[in-house]
Amino acid sequence: EVQLVESGGGLVQPGRSLKLSCAASGFTFSNYYMAWVRQAPKKGLEWVATISTSGSRTYYPDSVKGRFTISRDNAKSSLYLQMNSLKSEDTATYYCASPGNWFAYWGQGTLVTVSS
Amino acid sequence: DVVLTQTPPTLSATIGQSVSISCRSSQSLLHSNGNTYLHWLLQRPGQSPQLLIYLVSRLESGVPNRFSGSGSGTDFTLKISGVEAEDLGVYYCVQGTHALMYTFGAGTKLELK
């Protein structure tokens, strides 16, 4: 059974940092491009970052470029998102997902709340 | 940047009714390799999104065949032939044609009339 399990969310003050993790199982993690997608409360889905299979290529939208860093450890079948200089508008549920197979795999999400 | 415009934003349907959702792109989604990376997701209340249709018209494994996708270039449609109660939720189109920078539509909420 395919599983993506996110962790690391919580309440953080504006300007601070947080690192999210996603543990994958049930599929060959190293074969897939992976991504982070977020959803603000009562809002739609927003793509946050993509990483290639080896980790050598990464992509970000302008809204997080320079503040967020996606990485992966294929030996541990894990995906990460380092979030720096957090803003209130980064408040959302963060999902790890698999664009490598057309977004067939999603985690349950982890909630990040940025507030003083 | 590619913008995906979904219509309608809200759809009211009765059980058994057939409905369609439109997704229009600001740029062609036909990739130079011949594929069109336009997919459809459903997010049921309180759940993570799930894949329904990929590459415009291919049905994901386990998804009922009352769901179908069509379209090309910039205009795409998701059709549900006979809505069932379990189909309620928010539908999203998503594109991945342009340099691995993904774009989601704003969503279409399907509710019971």
Side-chain angles (χ1 to χ4, degrees):
Chain A
E1 179 193 6
V2 170
Q3 280 198 312
L4 294 173
V5 180
E6 301 95 337
S7 60
L11 175 62
V12 60
Q13 294 179 327
R16 304 298 292 264
S17 299
L18 202 62
K19 186 173 184 177
L20 306 182
S21 300
C22 172
S25 61
F27 66 105
T28 306
F29 177 77
S30 58
N31 286 353
Y32 292 89
Y33 276 65
M34 295 296 294
W36 288 95
V37 176
R38 68 184 180 185
Q39 186 169 37
K42 306 294 187 184
K43 299 295 185 182
L45 301 171
E46 179 188 15
W47 164 68
V48 170
T50 308
I51 189 166
S52 63
T53 52
S54 66
S56 61
R57 288 176 290 167
T58 57
Y59 308 84
Y60 307 92
D62 288 344
S63 58
V64 307
K65 193 176 295 182
R67 299 189 299 122
F68 289 13
T69 302
I70 187 172
S71 62
R72 66 191 298 160
D73 184 336
N74 286 339
K76 295 182 178 180
S77 294
S78 292
L79 181 72
Y80 306 100
L81 184 67
Q82 177 67 48
M83 303 185 293
N84 299 332
S85 303
L86 282 162
K87 307 175 182 180
S88 58
E89 52 262 43
D90 296 319
T91 293
T93 296
Y94 285 74
Y95 297 98
C96 66
S98 60
N101 61 353
W102 331 128
F103 291 100
Y105 303 153
W106 291 77
Q108 85 289 347
T110 187
L111 177 62
V112 173
T113 303
V114 183
S115 174
S116 55
Chain B
D1 292 358
V2 177
V3 176
L4 297 181
T5 302
Q6 279 186 244
T7 54
T10 304
L11 196 50
S12 295
T14 57
I15 300 300
Q17 182 180 352
S18 292
V19 298
S20 293
I21 299 169
S22 170
C23 178
R24 288 189 169 177
S25 175
S26 60
Q27 301 177 32
S28 174
L29 298 184
L30 177 62
H31 194 277
S32 57
N33 65 12
N35 288 329
T36 299
Y37 296 91
L38 187 284
H39 322 305
W40 290 95
L41 309 170
L42 164 62
Q43 187 174 32
R44 296 187 174 98
Q47 296 187 18
S48 302
Q50 68 168 102
L51 178 65
L52 298 176
I53 300 284
Y54 63 97
L55 298 175
V56 179
S57 59
R58 301 186 188 185
L59 194 66
E60 171 68 352
S61 176
V63 174
N65 61 12
R66 62 179 178 275
F67 291 94
S68 62
S70 63
S72 63
T74 61
D75 289 348
F76 304 92
T77 301
L78 174 72
K79 182 177 181 180
I80 310 173
S81 300
V83 168
E84 298 193 6
E86 65 181 20
D87 301 337
L88 304 184
V90 181
Y91 291 80
Y92 296 95
C93 55
V94 55
Q95 73 82 24
T97 290
H98 293 273
L100 297 172
M101 300 181 75
Y102 298 93
T103 310
F104 291 88
T108 295
K109 184 176 183 179
L110 177 61
E111 54 189 25
L112 278 180
K113 189 180 294 183

